[in-house]
Structures are given as C-alpha cells and as structure tokens.
Amino acid sequence: MSKVPMDVVTDIFHRLPVKTLLRFRSLSKPYCSLIDDPDFTNAHLDRSIKTRSNLNIILKGLHLYSVEFDALDNAVPIDYPLSSGAGTEAFGSCNGILAFRLTDKNLALYNPSTRQFRRLPVSEIDPPPGDSCKSGYIFYGFGQDVKTNDYKVVRMVQFNKSDDEDDEGIFYDYEVKVYSLKNDSWRKITKLPPYLRFMFQFFYHLLHRRGYGVLARGVLHWVMPPRIELGPRNRIVGFDLGNEEFIEVPQPECADKNYLLDVAALEGRLCAVCNYDQEKIDVWTMKEYGVKQSWTKLISIQRTRTITTLTFLKPLAYSKQLDKVLVEINSQKFAWYDLQKKKMRSVKIGGSPGTFGAEVYIGSLIQIEDPKRLEIEKENEQDELKNRNRKKRYKW
C-alpha cells in the first residue's frame, strides 16, 4: 500500500463504508490523518448522499434500533451513552448525527458510526417575567446551518397561563432558544411572529407526537393546525437555521380542503402529507423550495383490505433506482411504494418493536467531539506518559 499514490488511496477510501474507514485509521499515521481530515470527511459524506450509500433507518420506540437500508432485514439495538434507561428520544438526524433528548435538561448529540457523543450545556427555561405560568409543550428541532457549517438545536417552549381548567388551551407566550455546536452555547431568539402563540394544539401534537421539526433545505418545519383565530387552514411554519428567523411556507392546493396536514422530508426536499379522514393519503414534494407552484403529487394511497386504517404515513427514502419510495405506515410497518405501478409491497423487518417512529440517518465521519475535552484528555495522556518515563528512569 505504501507504493500506491495517495490520490488513488483517497479515491478508493471515498467509496468505502464508514465502519471500514474507522478500522483503516489504525493502518498508518498518513491514513489516519487522511480519514480524519475535514475535507475528506465532507467529500465522503457528499458521495454517500449522492449515491444513497451508508443509509440506515432508526426505529424509535421504548428503545432505539438501527436497520441497514440496503438490507432492510433485521433491527439491531443501538448502544448509546444515554441508553441506561428507556425513554430516550431521537428528535432529529442530520449528516449522520442524531439529536437525543433524555429529559428537557438532558440533551445530547451522537454519531452512531464513530460513537462520538456530546452532551449539550443546560439552558434553563425562563418563564415570562411578571406572570404566573408554567412551561407546557416543548418543540425540538435539529439541523445544519449550511452557510456556516454549524449544527444547531432549536427548542421552543410553550407557556400555559395557569393551572385552571377554564384557562386550558390559552397559550400566550413562547420561549425559543438555539444551541450552536460551534459556539457550544445557547442563544435566545427575541424576534417571534405573533402567530407562534397559537402553535400548540393538544390532540394534534400530543396524540400524534408532531413536535419534532422536519429538516429540509436548511429550514426546520412544523405544522400549525387550523385555529379560529387564524382561519380554517393549516400552516407550515419554518425556522431558518441560517438567519434564525421564522417563515411561512406555502402549501399545496389540495383538491379536498378537509384534511389533516403533516410534513416530512425526502432526500432533503420538503414533503406535505395530506390525510383525508384516514381514507386516503396524498404525499406532495416541493421541487423548488419556497415556490408554491413547484408542489408535485408523488404518492396517493387509499385504504384497502390489507391496510384497514390510514392514521399515519411518512415517506422515508427513495430506492437506488429512484423507482420506489420506502414509507412508514401507521407507525407499525414498512412498505415499498412503486411510483410507476402505484402499488405497495410490504417489508418485514425482524426484531423491530411493535410500534415505532422511523427516521433516516446516514453513516458519516462528521466530528462532534468537544475540542476542550479532547485537549484535556491529550494533556492527561502526556502527563501519564511523563510519569511512566520517570518511573522507568527511577527503576534503572
């Protein structure tokens, strides 16, 4: 291998799985430096995205499981630092990094491929001054600010006015904070749109767990259900991770206005999922972000004998040939939807939990270690090495 030109080695390494590259780090110092180089890491990730390789499906139940996308055969439990007890939630995935929530004060980022783990600093929830209220539903989101190559966590806390039953459903304020991985700190967002106070709706968000932002084109998205105060239509609310501002995203013109709206992402594109009274579900994809006319219907599924109810559907990923889409149905099963034949074929995955939420993540070498912690560990290793050398000299 020492006679092989480095540019040839680099080209070969770009095509290898992450697990193989991690093993190859121990071959030599030049190979280790190459694999750890940020330019190589980003190039390897870009190739994985373009070729749809190194893809995995994470199943979120009481515990977390991983399924290789190319095989779709068995679910393997994920061993991660917060797995000591059930209840850890993965609320986002971006470039191979998963965002975890154990409690509202215990958030972390984790790369399952490199097993690097980073706990976020605690940021207290600050109720509005001068009022008696408590924090209620909390929205989370995670994604990348592509302009600065920074990874960010968004936390939106909705405050209840009081504990009185008469005041239930009256939400008058929000707190929005953003965590930056580069700065390792939280920042409060003060410029909030007035409609944000009507964001939460009990049955929509709690019953269907739609509190996690959907990442597409550098924007996190949530759905605001119809409210009397804002009119009888859904709204797609976005938070731009670049300028850290809220935006409204146009939604498709569905033939039937009586539907429940959800959002998803497919290969980085925003999708609108329209559920018509659990009888039919249409999935639209936005080909040009922010342009209403670019919405295109991709999937249309009706209730059948094999699928007696259509409470939930989520598109996950295209097949290698782009002729099928893997979908999650009713949080219980997977199926391939043939885009040409307009038919579905069930996919059985061994070892999967009875009910789950599915998320796509891509294996990557992206580094999330805390540089300060690494520096301390390096200093400790050097001190330990010096102590060993002193002992050897003393024995001699």
Side-chain angles (χ1 to χ4, degrees), residues 130-301:
D131 290 307
S132 175
C133 63
K134 64 174 184 177
S135 60
Y137 195 74
I138 301 179
F139 298 80
Y140 290 99
F142 170 66
Q144 181 191 26
D145 175 1
V146 294
K147 295 179 182 178
T148 61
N149 193 28
D150 192 9
Y151 292 89
K152 297 180 178 181
V153 172
V154 177
R155 186 186 71 186
M156 293 194 296
V157 182
Q158 159 258 319
F159 293 105
N160 291 346
K161 188 172 183 179
S162 70
D163 293 325
D164 296 336
E165 293 183 2
D166 294 338
D167 290 333
E168 187 176 356
I170 298 177
F171 313 118
Y172 70 105
D173 211 343
Y174 267 79
E175 179 195 70
V176 180
K177 287 186 177 180
V178 178
Y179 167 81
S180 164
L181 179 62
K182 276 190 173 182
N183 300 326
D184 192 31
S185 62
W186 292 85
R187 174 176 173 267
K188 189 173 183 178
I189 305 300
T190 56
K191 186 180 179 181
L192 303 179
Y195 59 74
L196 199 64
R197 66 191 309 172
F198 303 110
M199 183 81 169
F200 176 74
Q201 194 174 97
F202 180 82
F203 288 104
Y204 185 85
H205 288 102
L206 275 183
L207 187 62
H208 299 286
R209 297 202 53 76
R210 291 178 169 89
Y212 299 153
V214 171
L215 179 67
R217 297 296 187 262
V219 179
L220 289 167
H221 302 83
W222 294 268
V223 171
M224 181 183 295
R227 299 294 296 249
I228 298 175
E229 300 88 343
L230 300 174
R233 69 181 184 92
N234 299 279
R235 291 187 179 208
I236 300 178
V237 177
F239 183 81
D240 191 313
L241 292 171
N243 55 31
E244 297 186 349
E245 292 182 353
F246 285 91
I247 60 173
E248 273 198 71
V249 182
Q251 56 185 286
E253 290 290 349
C254 301
D256 187 349
K257 301 300 180 182
N258 184 25
Y259 62 89
L260 187 67
L261 180 66
D262 202 355
V263 285
L266 194 58
E267 289 205 343
R269 286 181 174 175
L270 182 65
C271 292
V273 183
C274 304
N275 191 325
Y276 303 98
D277 295 325
Q278 301 185 13
E279 293 286 339
K280 184 181 77 167
I281 291 180
D282 291 338
V283 178
W284 299 69
T285 180
M286 183 178 261
K287 292 188 174 182
E288 187 177 351
Y289 187 79
V291 179
K292 184 173 183 176
Q293 293 76 14
S294 70
W295 280 111
T296 304
K297 189 185 293 187
L298 183 70
I299 296 173
S300 185
I301 298 174

Side-chain angles (χ1 to χ4, degrees), residues 43-89:
H44 183 270
L45 175 62
D46 290 341
R47 190 181 187 281
S48 296
I49 294 173
K50 291 176 182 177
T51 60
R52 299 176 186 83
S53 54
N54 293 308
L55 282 180
N56 302 270
I57 307 291
I58 182 173
L59 305 183
K60 303 178 289 185
L62 289 177
H63 301 279
L64 299 179
Y65 301 82
S66 178
V67 182
E68 289 188 11
F69 180 75
D70 289 340
L72 288 179
D73 50 3
N74 294 310
V76 179
I78 297 179
D79 182 21
Y80 52 95
L82 296 181
S83 61
S84 57
T88 300
E89 300 175 12

